[in-house]
């Protein structure tokens, strides 16, 4: 057993890992390093209940489900990793030594590319509690019109919350429809209809080319790629996420813009594609191979994944050899927007076809099933979550696609005139303004890819 | 020695009623067991939960090759959503829920709290003095049976004076759920109740109260024939089940005086104790048969299309692969996702009410009855193996 464990990133994955360590009998030291000043809190409510005014941004603390007896180093950033010495270097000059390290630094909101425009009063991103508190305050003040840039899950949820509060909203999305990055074009069309039915001024195939402030530095206008302008006093930049891996530069780990590569047991790879045995990764920052998806490395920005992966990582940090476990959970996430509860299992973007297996688009209650080369790879339910386990089973057993036709509530109409599967129309992420929350990021060994990507973004 | 294909016969045998659990343990060795008559029994937790979330398993009896005669149709009634599949099921259930729970009516059940306590206390007062005086009391007849009838009548706005009619219908109708009884007997009760409900709906329409049925009428979402059916279903589904839960609860506590004492001292433990009862001694032992819409493979067995499938909830509740020490009654059990109210889209509509009724009933009974003692253990059981419960539960001051 190790006797000192460092966890960098004191949020969902970090906390759940620490809890698991204690639950499994680890009695050594745990040091939690987090650059946010507060104890771990939950993010999903930030774009939902908090913006709706149902709970305050400061009421989403994650419960500590057992005494952790951890050393907390909050409000201080990790800036480097010295693997030879087994030390994490902190911004205040201090360091934390470890026998085992868990990297759980997650992601941050992708900022507006023009820093000066991004700094205008009224321009927001939404990732942290402080972001949510400030945005909420602005919404409470009753803006004339909101602009949401990017219609992925976060952007769509923000637009939905604003409409529910009666605020005028324009959504600008570079891709052909909202959510296409996660669900493909066939369902994107449905998502677009949902936005419009709730009074969102949705502009697809449009990018925001510039943000303009008044003489006091307050946002007043946005310029669009179609030549139009929009008078607005609040803009939320929802362009996806950037992985927090810069602090690992020079550490020799296979860490880069696409995340920290690790195996199914959460052990991180070094740049040569060789497994480290003392460094683990979990949560939004990790990318791991999944056998159901041709062993591609998959990075998931999903709450449930962060929890499950953290539990496996923690277990494997204190277990050895054959007692180690793989993290093979089928990816799953949820979202609520426009009065609809959306749940997903599997990887919808890993697909070539999609069909409505149950329910109907007209009634806004249905199950969409995705297939890739004749097997089921994902399912997304809209107000039909109770069937999710069945479709999870189909995914786990690589059931044939299209799935069994003889079941209740079969309509099978996804586009006018069609009754069977249609192309799922998964776009190239490059055409989206928002980053995908599931990224298929290639195969092992991927040292070269990591280098190339770094090179390209340097 | 029984082979798996004759288990059902042994389970329905009256002799098994007081303690069917050893049979269930035997049954779980064959998680999906085909019976001689072609029915499939499913007895293990994970298989049951998977099937309750499987869109290939229908609640509509027409999808079973051995579909029984349709009593409500014969009585001229529309089908009830408990026997329907989506989308119709979901729509009707949602429309009915508007009047019963969140988000439209979050306070309906909680708002009945004081009334439930009053009804419960009234019934207990009716026999407590006799009990104190040494008379033996039948918890079923004096309390568990009348309590839910009065409650559901209050919910539906049935006038007090008509309650006795419901008690009579309940006697007859409840037996339709017994798989072995001749359905002929109940047809009349069903017809009479339908007529009564239609008339009651007429009266509520003219002079709506603040009861649930009046609300449903005023909203105007359900056609009149569906209103009648729904009202009858709520009555049937919520009656004998609640009777049995209260009775099983008293029985279980009387068998464990230390638990009874603890609950008397710490009434805040009662909600957890009721959950554990729903696992340990559930009223609904088996669901009405479902029909397979396609060949379904479960636990290595293929259930053929058209077959009837019986999910043995009470066995899943005791599955050691799911619950630690499943045969121990632990009122403080955590992680207690039992099947007492089913699971999936048909999971009990009335659960919030049933929970509250049972909590109030058991709290009231154990508080008032000093030193209660079982007169006979096991008590006599009703013959129904599906909705299992004591016919009488005699207690006396001991
Ligand atoms: C607004 C919003 C809504 C969401 N809604 C849903 C939803 O509905 N469903 C769903 O499945 N998921 C949702 N998610 C995603 C979910 O919240 C994430 O998957 C989850 O938070 C991942 O947890 P994590 O611990 O891996 O990463 P994070 O929560 O990102 O935590 C990483 C932590 O590490 C810290 N950190 C970063 N770098 C350093 C460093 N160098 N030194 C020290 N600390 C560092 C960060 O500040 C942060 O506190 C939502 C996310 C957001 C932002
Ligand atoms: C302790 C008491 C109760 C128990 C144990 C119980 C149990 C159950 C179970 C197991 C089911 C699932 C049936 C199936 O899947 O086929 C169910 C459904 C149902 N119950 Fe209850 N029940 C109780 C009380 C009530 C009450 C008080 C009401 C009414 C107010 C009620 C109304 C219903 C209805 C309408 C359904 C059908 C739901 C649907 O099909 O969607 N029940 N109940």
């Amino acid at each position: 057993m190790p006797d000192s464990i460092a966890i960098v990133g004191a949020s969902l994955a970090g906390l759940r890992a620490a809890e698991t360590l204690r639950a499994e009998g680890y009695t050594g030291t745990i040091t939690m390093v987090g650059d946010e000043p507060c104890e771990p809190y939950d993010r999903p409510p930030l774009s939902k209940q908090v913006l709706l005014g149902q709970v305050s941004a400061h009421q989403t603390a994650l419960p500590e489900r057992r005494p952790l007896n951890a050393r907390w180093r909050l409000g201080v950033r990790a800036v480097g990793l010295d693997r030879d010495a087994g030390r994490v270097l902190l911004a205040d000059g201090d360091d934390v030594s470890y026998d085992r390290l868990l990297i759980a630094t997650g992601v941050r909101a992708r900022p507006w590319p023009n820093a000066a425009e991004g700094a205008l009063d009224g321009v927001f991103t939404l990732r942290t509690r402080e972001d949510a508190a400030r945005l909420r305050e602005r919404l409470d003040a009753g803006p004339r019109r909101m602009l949401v840039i990017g219609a992925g899950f976060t952007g769509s949820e923000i637009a939905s919350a604003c409409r529910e509060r009666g605020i005028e909203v324009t959504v600008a999305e570079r891709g052909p429809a909202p959510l296409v990055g996660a669900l493909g074009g066939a369902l994107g069309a449905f998502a677009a209809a949902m936005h419009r039915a709730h009074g969102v001024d949705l502009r697809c195939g449009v990018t925001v080319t510039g943000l303009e402030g008044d003489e006091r530095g307050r946002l007043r206008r946005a310029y669009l790629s179609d030549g139009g302008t929009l008078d607005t006093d609040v803009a939320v930049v929802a362009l996806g996420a950037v992985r927090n891996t810069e602090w690992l530069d020079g550490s020799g780990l296979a860490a880069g813009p696409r995340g920290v590569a690790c195996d199914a047991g959460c052990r991180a790879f070094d740049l040569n594609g060789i497994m480290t045995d003392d460094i683990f990764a979990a949560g939004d920052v990790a990318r791991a191979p999944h056998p159901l998806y041709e062993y591609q490395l998959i990075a998931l920005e999903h709450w449930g994944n962060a929890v499950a992966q953290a539990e496996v990582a923690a277990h494997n940090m204190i277990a050895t050899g054959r007692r180690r476990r793989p993290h093979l959970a089928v990816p799953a996430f949820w979202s609520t927007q426009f009065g609809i509860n959306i749940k997903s299992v599997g990887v919808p973007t890993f697909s070539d076809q999609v069909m409505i297996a149950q329910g109907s688009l007209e009634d806004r209650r249905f199950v969409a099933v995705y297939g890739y080369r004749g097997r089921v790879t994902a399912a997304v339910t809209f107000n039909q979550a109770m069937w999710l386990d069945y479709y999870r089973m189909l995914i786990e057993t690589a059931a044939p696609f299209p799935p069994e036709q003889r079941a209740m509530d079969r309509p099978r109409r996804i586009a006018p005139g069609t009754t069977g599967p249609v192309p799922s129309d998964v776009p190239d992420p490059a055409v989206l303004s928002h980053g995908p929350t599931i990224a298929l990021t290639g195969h092992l060994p991927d040292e070269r890819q990591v280098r190339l990507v770094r090179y390209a973004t340097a | 020695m029984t082979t798996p294909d004759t288990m059902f016969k042994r389970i329905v045998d009256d002799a098994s009623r007081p303690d069917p659990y050893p049979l269930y343990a035997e049954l779980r060795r064959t998680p999906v067991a085909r019976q001689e008559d072609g029915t499939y029994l499913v007895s293990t937790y994970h298989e049951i939960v998977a099937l309750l979330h499987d869109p290939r398993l229908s609640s509509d009896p027409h999808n079973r090759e051995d579909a029984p005669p349709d009593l409500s149709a014969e009585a001229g009634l529309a089908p009830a959503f408990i026997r329907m599949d989506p989308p119709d099921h979901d729509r009707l259930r949602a429309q009915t829920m508007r009047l019963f729970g969140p988000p439209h009516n979050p306070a309906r059940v909680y708002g009945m709290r004081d009334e439930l306590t009053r009804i419960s206390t009234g019934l207990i007062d009716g026999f407590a003095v006799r009990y104190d005086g040494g008379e033996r009391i039948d918890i079923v007849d004096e309390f568990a049976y009348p309590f839910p009838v009065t409650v559901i009548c209050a919910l539906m706005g049935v006038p007090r004076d008509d309650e006795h009619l419901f008690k009579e219908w309940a006697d007859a109708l409840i037996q339709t759920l017994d798989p072995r009884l001749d359905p002929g007997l109940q047809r009349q009760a069903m017809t009479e109740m339908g007529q009564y409900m239609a008339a009651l709906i007429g009266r509520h329409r003219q002079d709506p109260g603040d009861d649930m049925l009046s609300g449903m009428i005023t909203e105007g979402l359900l056609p009149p024939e569906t209103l009648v059916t729904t009202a009858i279903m709520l009555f049937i589904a919520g009656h004998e089940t609640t009777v049995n839960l209260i009775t099983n609860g008293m029985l279980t506590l009387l068998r464990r005086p230390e638990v009874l004492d603890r609950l008397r001292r710490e009434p805040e433990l009662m909600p957890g104790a009721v959950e554990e009862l729903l696992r340990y001694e559930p009223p609904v032992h088996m669901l009405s048969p479902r029909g397979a819409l396609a060949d379904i493979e479960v636990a290595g067995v293929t259930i053929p299309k058209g077959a009837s499938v019986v999910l043995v909830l009470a066995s899943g509740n005791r599955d050691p692969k799911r619950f630690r020490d499943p045969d121990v009654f632990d009122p403080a059990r955590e992680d207690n996702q039992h099947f007492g109210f089913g699971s999936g889209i048909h999971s009990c509509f009335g659960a919030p009410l049933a929970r509250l009724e049972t909590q109030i009933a058991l709290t009231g009974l154990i508080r008032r009855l000093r030193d209660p003692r079982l007169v006979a253990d096991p008590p006599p059981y009703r013959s129904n193996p599906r909705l299992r419960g004591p016919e009488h539960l005699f207690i006396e001051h001991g």
Side-chain angles (χ1 to χ4, degrees), chain A residues 9 11-13 35-36 43 48 78 105 127 283-284 302-303 334:
Chain A
S11 178
L12 181 62
D35 63 359
E36 293 187 78
R43 296 181 205 276
K48 308 176 181 76
T105 44
R127 180 76 198 172
D284 285 8
H302 297 169
W303 194 96
W334 81 98

Side-chain angles (χ1 to χ4, degrees), chain B residues 101-115:
Chain B
H104 299 282
N105 232 316
R108 163 84 64 194
V109 171
Y110 194 78
M112 292 181 75
R113 207 180 173 83
D114 291 344
E115 194 169 358

Side-chain angles (χ1 to χ4, degrees), chain A residues 229-390:
Chain A
T229 58
L230 191 76
D231 289 338
T232 178
D233 34 17
V234 185
V236 184
V237 179
L239 297 179
V242 181
R243 289 171 215 278
N244 291 318
T245 53
E246 293 80 357
W247 68 283
L248 297 168
D249 284 350
S251 67
L253 289 180
R258 281 128 62 94
V260 178
C262 58
D263 74 351
C266 308
R267 294 176 295 181
F269 290 107
D270 73 10
L271 269 178
N272 300 312
I274 294 178
M275 207 95 70
T276 60
D277 212 33
D278 54 348
I279 303 181
F280 294 73
D284 285 8
V285 77
R287 50 197 286 258
H290 204 296
L292 284 174
Y293 304 101
E294 296 180 347
Y295 290 94
Q296 287 206 54
L297 297 190
I298 301 178
L300 298 162
E301 291 170 34
H302 297 169
W303 194 96
N305 180 67
V307 170
Q309 202 169 22
E311 287 170 0
V312 172
H315 172 87
N316 290 346
M317 287 169 96
I318 52 174
T320 49
R322 294 173 55 122
R323 288 184 42 241
R324 285 190 165 152
R325 283 191 213 129
H327 168 57
L328 296 179
V330 178
F333 75 91
W334 81 98
S335 168
T336 40
Q337 47 182 282
F338 304 111
I340 296 190
N341 171 254
I342 303 176
K343 286 198 170 186
S344 161
V345 278
V347 179
T349 47
F350 191 85
S351 66
D352 46 28
Q353 291 196 300
V354 63
M355 67 177 289
I356 301 300
Q358 279 179 257
S360 83
L361 298 179
E362 289 82 357
D363 296 345
R364 302 175 13 130
R365 44 175 289 288
F366 59 90
V367 182
V369 178
Y370 292 75
Y372 181 66
R373 296 190 182 164
R375 69 181 177 89
V376 175
T377 52
V380 179
T381 62
F382 285 66
N383 284 345
Q384 288 285 289
M386 53 289 210
W387 303 113
L388 215 60
D389 285 345
Y390 169 68

Side-chain angles (χ1 to χ4, degrees), chain A residues 358-359 363 365 383-391 393-394 404-410, chain B residues 49-59 85-87 90 293-295 297 305 344-345:
Chain A
Q358 279 179 257
D363 296 345
R365 44 175 289 288
N383 284 345
Q384 288 285 289
M386 53 289 210
W387 303 113
L388 215 60
D389 285 345
Y390 169 68
Y391 292 97
M393 184 272 286
L394 294 187
E404 174 61 65
Q405 302 293 307
R406 288 169 304 180
M408 54 182 82
D409 202 8
R410 286 281 188 220
Chain B
V49 89
L51 286 170
L52 282 172
H53 292 84
D54 192 320
R56 298 168 300 176
L57 203 60
S58 166
S59 285
D85 292 335
D90 296 11
L293 294 175
D295 291 355
E297 202 193 302
K305 177 174 188 298
I345 60 167

Side-chain angles (χ1 to χ4, degrees), chain B residues 82 89 93 237-238 241 245 287 290 340-342 345-346 348-350 354:
Chain B
I82 193 167
H89 164 273
R93 179 170 167 135
T241 44
L245 188 62
L287 288 179
R290 306 287 216 251
F341 289 125
I345 60 167
H346 291 281
C348 182
F349 176 93

